[in-house]
Amino acid sequence: MNLLILGLNHNTAPLSLREKVSYGPDELKDSINMIRAMLSPQDKGGISEAAILSTCNRTEIYCAAQDPEKAARSLREFIAEQKQVQLAELEEHLYLYIGEEAARHAFRVASGLDSMVLGETQIVGQIKKAEKTAQEARSLGLHLHHLFQKTFSVAKEVRSTTEIGTRSISLAAAAVRVANRIFGNISDSTILFVGAGEMIELCAAHFCAQNPKKVTVANRTVERAQALADQIGADAIKLSDMPEVMADYDIVVSCTASSLPIIGLGMAQRAIKKRRHHPMFMVDLAVPRDIEAEISNLDDIYVYTVDDLGKVVQAGIKGRQEAVKAAEVLIQERVNEFHVWMSARNSVPQIISLKEKAEALRKREIKKARRALAKGEDPEKVLEHMSKSLMNKFIHDPLTTLRNNQSLPDEDYQKVLDLLQNFFLYHGH
């Protein structure tokens, strides 16, 4: 059994592909169950454990499988068919990590080293949600459970012992920077937040710190919109009311879990016409996108996606390279520890088999000794014969097999001999 991570992210795939292969909260459990049901046979890779991490910047499938390479091929085909994407297009942007490299990738992701915003902390919560969903789907076994627990531990250690999170610029902070460039000062601006989730809460905190003139929260359920509005001193409206009031806002920040755009080209055209082409700034933090891509072609509307804001964020990364180096060193140490754990787990079947064979030999020799004693043979001679017979079978036979194995390189042959010698020297004390 080995670990694998198959996925794509903001570094390997454009937003147009990432939104196609993203998984909404409502489809995660069913998709995990489908992966295990369809890909559990050996000819499909023998997947026994699975979890899915899907965020605005990445979609990754974490698995424990008997044959990781076969499992990866099956997963590629599964994603392409499920998400209706051409396999050739998908393969061009995917990455695959197996074994300790999978552990390294998970540790780097949770530590914020693989994020658009270097050192960001939100990803840890997203991984914890992925783990919880996998648990609820009963697809989290020994290997993935240990991987996730170690991942959370490493992320915590990296953040507490390095400066990876210092001077970090979040996407929300980057959006405020861009807004200030467009409007000069957003204290005279009106803002509409679309959605009421964690990302919108974060954006609301950053934007409201600039004391805007008016703030409104729109959400599918007005009760949830009102709850956030009460926190930030804003108004609340239903999502269905948005087309009538869109023109009243200079800044629109959207992040919902909708699978289709909720701000269409027609809605934007009517709003900008009603505003007499006074500029609008739209921030789309959702994947799949909330704002139709064609809106970015309109004059007087500035649309920024997560990838656009990511370019703004990159400016602050160069000054923290020492922190990155320190984090990478720590992660390598923890990867080595995880490798030892995986090796120990993978050797369990061989250890059990060895014990069973040794026990069978022991029982056979005891049976012979008892028959000899029953015939009245000298007990001392019987014990001497039994001990020599066991010694020959435990040591002589394996060494004979080694000597007769011509395909074993000299270096490996010597390593095996050294291990046997060290083992018996240790037990000799």
Side-chain angles (χ1 to χ4, degrees):
M1 193 64 65
N2 212 334
L3 292 172
L4 73 96
I5 298 175
L6 180 76
L8 49 75
N9 63 19
H10 60 285
N11 292 318
T12 69
L15 177 58
S16 57
L17 178 60
R18 297 205 310 274
E19 63 185 355
K20 287 180 184 177
V21 300
S22 67
Y23 287 85
D26 296 338
E27 58 182 326
L28 285 171
K29 286 184 188 176
D30 286 344
S31 296
I32 289 171
N33 289 330
M34 287 171 65
I35 288 170
R36 291 182 64 212
M38 295 172 64
L39 309 184
S40 59
Q42 183 58 47
D43 63 337
K44 295 290 185 179
I47 292 177
S48 60
E49 304 175 37
I52 299 175
L53 173 64
S54 187
T55 74
C56 59
N57 289 329
R58 70 183 66 246
T59 293
E60 296 178 342
I61 300 179
Y62 292 59
C63 293
Q66 293 177 355
D67 189 330
E69 294 289 353
K70 277 185 183 177
R73 287 196 294 272
S74 299
L75 281 171
R76 291 186 186 102
E77 294 169 1
F78 171 83
I79 296 169
E81 183 177 349
Q82 186 188 34
K83 296 298 182 179
Q84 297 183 334
V85 179
Q86 291 294 321
L87 183 58
E89 178 191 4
L90 183 65
E91 287 183 323
E92 185 182 345
H93 302 281
L94 288 171
Y95 46 76
L96 172 65
Y97 298 104
I98 296 173
E100 62 185 272
E101 290 307 313
R104 185 195 314 280
H105 179 72
F107 297 168
R108 293 187 80 255
V109 170
S111 300
L113 295 182
D114 195 56
S115 297
M116 184 179 288
V117 179
L118 182 65
E120 58 111 352
T121 58
Q122 191 178 12
I123 186 64
V124 177
Q126 292 166 332
I127 297 175
K128 286 184 177 180
K129 286 180 181 177
E131 182 214 23
K132 183 180 179 183
T133 302
Q135 266 185 336
E136 291 171 351
R138 297 175 182 249
S139 67
L140 207 64
L142 177 67
H143 294 83
L144 284 187
H145 175 76
H146 188 76
L147 173 67
F148 283 126
Q149 296 312 306
K150 190 69 174 176
T151 296
F152 302 143
S153 172
V154 171
K156 184 178 180 181
E157 190 176 5
V158 167
R159 294 181 199 285
S160 60
T161 61
T162 75
E163 297 185 359
I164 196 69
T166 60
R167 300 191 302 276
S168 153
I169 306 170
S170 68
L171 292 179
V176 172
R177 286 190 180 188
V178 176
N180 277 320
R181 289 175 194 165
I182 295 171
F183 297 106
N185 188 336
I186 62 175
S187 60
D188 292 327
S189 302
T190 53
I191 304 175
L192 174 64
F193 293 109
V194 183
E198 186 179 342
M199 181 58 82
I200 289 294
E201 285 187 33
L202 183 62
C203 288
H206 281 270
F207 275 96
C208 290
Q210 305 293 310
N211 298 313
K213 185 165 63 175
K214 179 185 177 183
V215 178
T216 300
V217 180
N219 195 57
R220 202 172 303 278
T221 55
V222 73
E223 293 82 9
R224 192 167 180 190
Q226 190 63 59
L228 176 57
D230 290 342
Q231 291 179 36
I232 61 176
D235 298 324
I237 62 171
K238 290 187 292 186
L239 209 58
S240 56
D241 295 334
M242 197 167 58
E244 286 71 38
V245 301
M246 175 77 75
D248 298 337
Y249 298 94
D250 305 306
I251 300 168
V252 178
V253 182
S254 187
C255 187
T256 74
S258 174
S259 59
L260 296 171
I262 56 176
I263 300 176
L265 180 61
M267 188 191 303
Q269 286 174 324
R270 289 189 294 274
I272 202 67
K273 183 178 180 181
K274 193 173 179 180
R275 288 171 61 85
R276 299 180 184 274
H277 295 275
H278 185 69
M280 290 182 76
F281 174 44
M282 291 188 172
V283 181
D284 191 349
L285 296 172
V287 177
R289 282 174 280 191
D290 282 342
I291 300 172
E292 270 192 337
E294 291 77 10
I295 294 176
S296 62
N297 297 325
L298 296 177
D299 293 335
D300 305 312
I301 297 185
Y302 303 89
V303 179
Y304 272 65
T305 64
V306 286
D307 286 3
D308 297 323
L309 291 175
K311 294 172 186 175
V312 178
V313 167
Q314 295 303 313
I317 289 179
K318 290 183 180 178
R320 287 182 286 152
Q321 289 309 308
E322 288 304 315
V324 171
K325 289 177 184 176
E328 295 284 15
V329 169
L330 193 155
I331 285 172
Q332 181 58 51
E333 292 174 0
R334 301 301 169 256
V335 167
N336 294 341
E337 292 173 2
F338 192 84
H339 175 68
V340 170
W341 182 86
M342 280 294 297
S343 298
R345 290 306 312 167
N346 289 334
S347 66
V348 167
Q350 289 88 342
I351 292 171
I352 292 173
S353 177
L354 186 61
K355 284 183 176 179
E356 288 174 348
K357 288 178 181 177
E359 179 64 10
L361 285 173
R362 185 190 70 82
K363 287 180 177 179
R364 195 178 307 154
E365 293 304 317
I366 284 286
K367 190 175 181 180
K368 287 181 183 178
R370 283 174 176 161
R371 281 203 303 263
L373 290 171
K375 291 178 182 178
E377 294 184 20
D378 183 354
E380 287 294 329
K381 289 182 180 180
V382 171
L383 286 172
E384 185 73 15
H385 178 78
M386 185 179 73
S387 64
K388 284 183 179 179
S389 182
L390 280 172
M391 180 189 71
N392 284 334
K393 287 180 171 62
F394 284 148
I395 298 178
H396 176 76
D397 291 351
L399 290 179
T400 301
T401 302
L402 276 173
R403 280 195 294 269
N404 294 336
N405 191 342
Q406 300 297 321
S407 63
L408 196 65
D410 290 343
E411 184 180 345
D412 291 344
Y413 178 79
Q414 188 59 48
K415 283 180 181 178
V416 174
L417 285 178
D418 290 343
L419 281 171
L420 284 170
Q421 184 179 25
N422 289 337
F423 174 79
F424 284 106
L425 280 174
Y426 173 80
H427 284 279
H429 294 294

